[in-house]
Amino acid sequence: MSQSTTNNFISINKLTNTRVLLIGGTSGIGFVVARAALEHGANIILSSSNPERLASAISRLKTLYPDPSFTSRITGKAYDLSDESTLETNIISLLDYATSPSIFPNTTPPTTEGKILLNHISYTSGTRPSRVCRRCR
């Protein structure tokens, strides 16, 4: 690619060394966002209420991007955010997991609290958390 062509792509590597949490990133627009974030240098954390779909999405990403420079930046964990009785606990657990220095050990140093802050959170899940909109029921 020539230098003049490269200069036209202002967002290439904009997400390098960032952490992107994708809630509902296992299919549809969420999966496309996961791919785009990965392609632009982000460390991605997928979350889904369905462990099988989550494992499948991670596997698909690792098949699409088999180079270790990509596969080392993909992780995920299943959390069900649709059950009001466990919503708060599951959100806290998800955020604790997503900010853990151990999931991407060769990235930004942790804060004084021992966490690595998230740069972006994308919510594209088809299932909304129960407390988001009580009037929508």
Side-chain angles (χ1 to χ4, degrees), residues 4-73:
S4 63
T5 305
T6 304
N7 290 337
N8 293 328
F9 297 113
I10 61 170
S11 59
I12 287 181
N13 297 324
K14 280 281 196 191
L15 296 176
T16 299
N17 295 323
T18 62
R19 277 191 185 213
V20 178
L21 171 60
L22 298 125
I23 301 169
T26 60
S27 64
I29 192 70
F31 189 75
V32 173
V33 171
R35 289 186 67 177
L38 190 62
E39 289 175 4
H40 288 274
N43 298 294
I44 61 169
I45 304 115
L46 299 179
S47 181
S48 172
S49 61
N50 185 316
E52 293 80 23
R53 286 184 64 161
L54 178 62
S56 174
I58 291 171
S59 177
R60 284 182 293 151
L61 286 168
K62 289 183 176 185
T63 299
L64 290 166
Y65 306 97
D67 188 277
S69 67
F70 288 96
T71 59
S72 65
R73 295 186 288 113

